[in-house]
Amino acid sequence: MNEAVLPDLDQPTQTTEQAANVPMLSVVVPTFNERDNVGVLYGKLEATLKGIAWEVLFVDDNSPDGTSEVVRALAAQDARVRCVRRIGRRGLSGACIEGILASSAPFAAVMDADLQHDETQLPKMLALLESGEAELVVGSRYIAGGSAAGFNRRRAGASAFATEVAKRVLGVRIADPMSGFFMIRRDRFEQLAPELSTQGFKILLDIVATARGELRTVEIPFTFGSRLHGESKLDSMVALDFLGLVLAKFTHDTVSLRFLLFAMVGGTGLFVHLGTLFLGLQLFELPFAEAQALGAFVAMTSNFVLNNFLTYRDQRLKGLAILRGLLAFYLVCSVGLFANVGVAFSVYDQEPIWWLAGAAGALMGVVWNYAMSGLFVWRKR
Ligand code: GDD
Ligand code: MN
């Protein structure tokens, strides 16, 4: 037997093989209804990343079009392909965060599945990170050489406006903080991760704002192409998410958009209550107590519906869960009413100023309702 085929005991072959399997670059691709795009993207990654130890992680929010099945079929043939299927959750930022954290590659890229991002830039981005020149590399549409060709005027205007707001309010210094295409050192990401918001679309802006200038960043130009198959998931609600993120970062996380929305919905509830009370008394000639109870009931119901569509859009209850949630919401709000009245009474007892006592009670009520709704109605799964 030839000596060369004997295993080298100092350096077991298994270890070197295992080491070769450890990816250097993890490409994280959030997906929602992208079944026709994932295979094409995989092919392009394979072509462009030759010679690099890479993996791709698709983070799919249980797409109804069966994206995760397509990814799993790819994964069955190539171990570099992985699928994280999230159930009961929606959100681009959250998906990216989970994807990066699920990998142990030292470098992680985030890109869209629809081929709007230019995968041929990945090796260049990786080289900038590996050389230590950058800790974050951003694919930028707004520096010389880059462009957003596929944008219509409205979208271009909105993007420019949001970029301006981010720069002024948050002091973000890069040209394209709204880009969804970037690569980052995982250890740096790991440090920032606990402070990132899982809600919304703007993961890069969040990273940059959270790092407060402490992240060595290089921007490289790319052309934002047009979507291959399917349609964009960006809707007008994205503006709301953006505002929320700016607000949260600006106030160092003391004010959350969710709480503001919840309080605003509560404000509309007051009008619904008074309107119903008025109708009950005038139109249906109900006794006051019954009209008042009806008003509270209708207001709680409309608050629930609005919160389900706006405040907790990313965790929207559907089907039978709506009924369960509604009942829990009634219960939470009823206890909240006791807390409200109790606080108002005790303030009034100390300091008989009606508006101060009333406001203190209302604040207590909304804080209670918010905290308890988060626990029992729209609880995180
Ligand atoms: N897991 C998951 N969950 N993925 C999602 C979700 C979600 O709720 N919403 C969207 N995605 C995925 C899409 O499947 C796609 O792969 C990627 O995120 C981007 O979504 P698009 O719907 O294609 O967004 P876009 O092209 O309008 O916006 C892109 O450009 C913006 C810059 O103008 C994104 O890259 C944005 O991040 C970027 O800010
Ligand atoms: Mn897209």
Side-chain angles (χ1 to χ4, degrees):
M1 202 186 230
N2 192 321
E3 220 193 305
V5 293
L6 290 173
D8 179 355
L9 291 179
D10 290 330
Q11 243 183 351
T13 47
Q14 211 187 1
T15 310
T16 33
E17 250 173 53
Q18 280 169 345
N21 285 337
V22 173
M24 181 58 101
L25 171 66
S26 182
V27 182
V28 172
V29 183
T31 56
F32 193 75
N33 287 345
E34 306 282 5
R35 63 170 299 145
D36 297 329
N37 291 323
V38 290
V40 186
L41 177 64
Y42 163 73
K44 294 204 172 220
L45 289 176
E46 184 166 46
T48 211
L49 295 175
K50 285 233 157 28
I52 296 171
W54 62 280
E55 66 173 356
V56 59
L57 253 137
F58 291 94
V59 187
D60 184 63
D61 286 355
N62 208 21
S63 302
D65 79 344
T67 303
S68 64
E69 285 152 34
V70 179
V71 173
R72 256 184 235 298
L74 287 171
Q77 289 169 13
D78 186 341
R80 294 173 302 182
V81 179
R82 291 167 61 196
C83 178
V84 176
R85 178 178 166 211
R86 309 198 305 164
I87 294 175
R89 271 177 298 168
R90 271 301 300 276
L92 182 51
S93 291
C96 295
I97 295 172
E98 267 180 54
I100 299 176
L101 295 180
S103 149
S104 14
F107 305 106
V110 168
M111 67 187 295
D112 294 355
D114 56 7
L115 304 162
Q116 290 191 278
H117 293 156
D118 179 3
E119 81 289 341
T120 62
Q121 301 297 323
L122 292 170
K124 189 167 152 196
M125 295 164 102
L126 183 63
L128 283 163
L129 292 183
E130 275 186 307
S131 71
E133 204 172 316
E135 296 172 306
L136 168 71
V137 182
V138 175
S140 175
R141 299 160 294 175
Y142 303 141
I143 56 174
S147 75
F151 268 5
N152 60 26
R153 283 203 29 215
R154 217 185 98 225
R155 182 87 195 257
S159 179
F161 177 72
T163 305
E164 220 27 57
V165 171
K167 285 186 182 167
R168 276 166 203 254
V169 180
L170 299 178
V172 165
R173 263 178 254 289
I174 60 174
D176 193 1
M178 305 297 147
S179 174
F181 184 33
F182 61 92
M183 196 186 285
I184 188 169
R185 276 173 61 147
R186 221 208 48 225
D187 57 348
R188 298 295 279 123
F189 180 83
E190 206 91 34
Q191 292 163 342
L192 299 169
E195 283 179 64
L196 300 177
S197 157
T198 55
Q199 240 188 316
F201 249 68
K202 300 303 170 196
I203 172 85
L204 177 65
L205 172 62
D206 198 358
I207 290 174
V208 175
T210 304
R212 297 184 204 286
E214 298 286 293
L215 205 56
R216 222 172 320 121
T217 305
V218 172
E219 283 185 271
I220 62 163
F222 86 102
T223 301
F224 189 68
S226 35
R227 175 174 260 280
L228 185 64
H229 297 290
E231 51 195 44
S232 167
K233 281 95 211 171
L234 262 177
D235 56 13
S236 47
M237 288 301 184
V238 167
L240 214 64
D241 284 331
F242 172 71
L243 273 182
L245 183 62
V246 172
L247 193 79
K249 288 295 146 187
F250 186 66
T251 60
H252 291 234
D253 284 322
T254 39
V255 178
S256 84
L257 176 75
R258 231 200 263 282
F259 179 72
L260 273 191
L261 283 176
F262 193 88
M264 266 161 52
V265 167
T268 68
L270 183 65
F271 289 99
V272 172
H273 184 134
L274 291 178
T276 313
L277 179 62
F278 178 79
L279 286 182
L281 292 173
Q282 300 292 315
L283 217 63
F284 301 104
E285 295 175 353
L286 293 174
F288 182 82
E290 274 157 49
Q292 170 73 359
L294 184 70
F297 183 72
V298 173
M300 283 190 290
T301 312
S302 86
N303 280 3
F304 174 81
V305 171
L306 282 175
N307 279 323
N308 200 38
F309 272 93
L310 232 79
T311 320
Y312 287 96
R313 192 158 46 91
D314 55 325
Q315 281 163 251
R316 190 174 294 167
L317 302 174
K318 293 181 186 130
L320 219 64
I322 295 189
L323 204 66
R324 215 210 98 257
L326 182 60
L327 291 178
F329 190 71
Y330 287 147
L331 211 72
V332 161
C333 293
S334 313
V335 180
L337 186 64
F338 277 106
N340 173 339
V341 174
V343 166
F345 256 129
S346 69
V347 171
Y348 196 79
D349 212 32
Q350 308 258 314
E351 209 67 66
I353 309 171
W354 66 269
W355 57 265
L356 186 69
L363 187 67
M364 177 64 214
V366 71
V367 169
W368 167 274
N369 287 350
Y370 178 68
M372 293 303 133
S373 290
L375 275 181
F376 297 114
V377 185
W378 292 275
R379 54 184 159 195
K380 274 235 152 79
R381 280 153 293 187

